[in-house]
Each structure stands twice: as structure tokens, then as C-alpha cells.
Amino acid sequence: MHASYSRRRFLSRLTALGAVPLLGACAQTTTPRGAPTIQPARTALLLPLSGPKADLGQTMAKAVWLVEDSRGLPQRVEIFDTGPTPQGAVAAANRAEDAGAEVVIGPLFSDHTAAVMTSPPKAQVVTLSNDDRLAATGAWVFGVTPAQSAIAAAGFARKNGWGSIALMQPGGDFGAQSATALAAAAKTHRLKLMPPVPLAASEGLLEQLKEAEGGQLPDSLYLPSAGAKSRRAAQIAEQAGLGVIGSLQWADVPTAALSPLKTLRFAGPDPRLFNSLSSSYQSQLGEEMGILSGLAVDAVMFANSLPRDRNGRVQITGTPPREGLLGQCSFRKDRTCARQLAILQLKNGRVSKVA
């Protein structure tokens, strides 16, 4: 489903829309005087506009439209509905290719992206999934990966003088990826990596941490997930004097749920940029925007800033890093994204950047 009709309905709800002061450098490319104008890439965005995740996809679409209309992006992104299935994602990618897209942003989910890449479109595919393994399929992975959060957490631990770190490990594939990511990040930042504790053991957290390391507690604890069990574990760790650091998932937790935590830090977007758009979104629509909407905005603005080679083809590698709502980002040659997340803390009811 093409989203032009939904866009008209969305725009009819906006009145006296003011400028959103964000990402000017990422939204535009600088062209030397006298040089030919570089046309931005024709960009398609694949989102779940129907099905169980429709609310999420529509929120992401509205954030992109809000920025387009307030900042005057060089083009209008075309949005296609993937629906709830991988087959729907393939159909959406085909429609985007038929419409002449040069860069396809999305799909949002790993299995949807894998399905699209079994017979990839001619366009560059920039998936919003957080699974770096999709790079092997030929997709560019733009989602915020477990590795990006772990790197930010380990870097902050080292900066704070904490010499050791342990993982409160959630289950499943996400937990396994988080463990691998923290191990690599701890090695990079010269931190002693303590044995992980399963998230299910939150009530016996301190005992398990001590048992795993001969009676000694780590200096810091990293929590990739942000559910009720993780928040309880964070409270226990804080009371024991551990430094507690969360992943990007914590940036989407309501302030009221974070308020009992006094020293928690977590990876997140730069508040200066993200809060500007989020506040405008809420004032115009009366809704919360969310981190994934910021990711969609970053991806669209990144695509609009891409240069072309001498043959007019869009280039992704070799381009300078771009400032985004979720931090400075650039693509490596292996099609994974390097992103510099901020470290945030809730203090006196306000989230602020501490690193």
C-alpha cells in the first residue's frame, strides 16, 4: 500500500507547523559554487503500516513526514506498506523498485529483510533491523545493534574508572548477541569481563555475581534489556554500589518507571537533537514518538545526503560521518554501521547527556 493518502490525512492535522531545528548538516549536502547540482537519491521507506505493528510503522512514517515538512527535505520519501509478513515486505520492495527507488530504507524486521534479500532489488537496501548478520546478504544494516550499545556502555565504564563489568543477560538470540558484543567492547576498553548472570535471576543477583567471581562484585553491571526484571536488577545493583549502565532500550522507558533509579546511565540519542523533534511531534500529534521513529528519520536524512559517483550512481561507503538523532553514523566497508550513542542519565525528572 502506498502511503500518499495517509500522508494527506496526517498533514491535515498539522496547523501552524514551526521549523524543527535539527540535523541541518545531515539533511543537506554542500555543493561548491559552480559545481553541478547533485540530485538526492530517490528513496523508498518500507514500514509495517498494517497488521499488529501498524501503530509503530505509522508513528515512524509520521515522524519522517513531520521533518520533511518542517525542514524542507530535497525530496518526498515514498512509503510502502510491508504488512506483518516477510512476503508483504518482498511485495513492498518490488513496488518500490517499480517506482524507481535508488535507496530502499527498511524493512524494519530481520526476517522481512532476509526475505527481501533473497532476490534483492537493484536499489541499495538500508535495513532498519538491528541484526548485523544481515550485512552478509548484501543489505546495509542501519539499526542500532547490541554492539553499538555495548561499546557506549563499556566506554563509559572505562571513563568512570570502573575496572570490571558484568552482563545481566536476557534470553534468546538478543541475549547471545549482547554477550558477544559486551565481550568485544570490554576487550577494546580494557575492562575485566565478569561471568554473566541470567536475567531470570534478578532477585538473587548479588549472590550470583559473587559466586561467579569468587565472592567479588564487579564495578559495573550492563543491562541490555529494560523490562520490569531488568529495572528491579538495576535497583538491587545500585543499592550495592555498582555502576549500572543500560542499553538504548532504556531510552524508551517512561520517565516515571526510571525515577526510582538514582544513578542509572544508559545509551541513547543526543537529547539536544532528539528532544527537539520529539517535543514537536508530541505538541502536533499528542503522541509519543519513540526511538525507532528517530531511527527512520536518521535513515531518510542519511539517504538524502548521499553523493553520487561519476556515473551518477549513489555512493554509501566512503562518505563522511553524518550527525543524526541517534548519534554520528557512517557505514563501514562490511555494510555495518558505526554509530556513536550518547550516555544519558535521568536527574531531577530530566534526561541529560553525561558522556
Side-chain angles (χ1 to χ4, degrees), residues 239-296:
Q239 291 166 3
L242 278 65
V244 182
I245 316 172
S247 71
L248 181 77
Q249 288 197 10
W250 289 79
D252 257 344
V253 176
T255 301
L258 293 180
S259 58
L261 299 166
K262 306 303 179 186
T263 63
L264 168 75
R265 286 87 162 191
F266 52 93
D270 186 329
R272 178 179 61 89
L273 298 177
F274 187 86
N275 290 353
S276 175
L277 177 58
S278 181
S279 296
S280 181
Y281 187 99
Q282 187 168 34
S283 66
Q284 297 295 335
L285 297 174
E287 304 171 7
E288 293 291 335
M289 190 182 77
I291 295 296
L292 285 177
S293 296
L295 181 69

Side-chain angles (χ1 to χ4, degrees), residues 114-285:
V116 167
M117 298 309 294
T118 57
S119 182
K122 295 178 181 178
Q124 304 273 19
V125 176
V126 180
T127 178
L128 297 176
S129 168
N130 65 354
D131 188 348
D132 267 344
R133 294 169 294 189
L134 291 168
T137 69
W140 302 86
V141 182
F142 196 75
V144 182
T145 64
Q148 291 166 11
S149 286
I151 288 168
F156 182 78
R158 170 50 63 187
K159 182 179 178 180
N160 253 28
W162 299 331
S164 59
I165 192 167
L167 171 70
M168 194 78 188
Q169 185 172 352
D173 188 51
F174 176 68
Q177 289 188 59
S178 297
T180 300
L182 185 63
K187 182 177 181 180
T188 297
H189 290 283
R190 303 185 305 281
L191 293 173
K192 181 180 180 181
L193 181 65
M194 308 283 263
V197 171
L199 181 58
S202 58
E203 290 302 326
L205 172 62
L206 299 181
E207 291 76 13
Q208 290 217 26
L209 285 171
K210 288 179 180 178
E211 183 180 346
E213 194 60 26
Q216 182 181 0
L217 287 173
D219 296 330
S220 56
L221 180 68
Y222 176 56
L223 296 133
S225 62
K229 286 186 178 180
S230 293
R231 295 196 293 273
R232 175 59 183 151
Q235 284 185 297
I236 294 170
E238 272 193 350
Q239 291 166 3
L242 278 65
V244 182
I245 316 172
S247 71
L248 181 77
Q249 288 197 10
W250 289 79
D252 257 344
V253 176
T255 301
L258 293 180
S259 58
L261 299 166
K262 306 303 179 186
T263 63
L264 168 75
R265 286 87 162 191
F266 52 93
D270 186 329
R272 178 179 61 89
L273 298 177
F274 187 86
N275 290 353
S276 175
L277 177 58
S278 181
S279 296
S280 181
Y281 187 99
Q282 187 168 34
S283 66
Q284 297 295 335
L285 297 174

Side-chain angles (χ1 to χ4, degrees), residues 39-87:
Q39 292 296 322
R42 290 199 63 181
T43 305
L45 180 57
L46 310 186
L47 294 173
L49 302 177
S50 60
K53 298 295 185 180
D55 286 349
L56 174 59
Q58 290 168 15
T59 299
M60 296 169 74
K62 287 185 284 190
V64 169
W65 290 332
L66 177 61
V67 174
E68 282 188 333
D69 286 279
S70 61
R71 288 294 299 171
L73 289 187
Q75 70 167 96
R76 302 292 190 195
V77 65
E78 293 188 90
I79 303 181
F80 298 88
D81 181 22
T82 64
T85 66
Q87 293 78 12

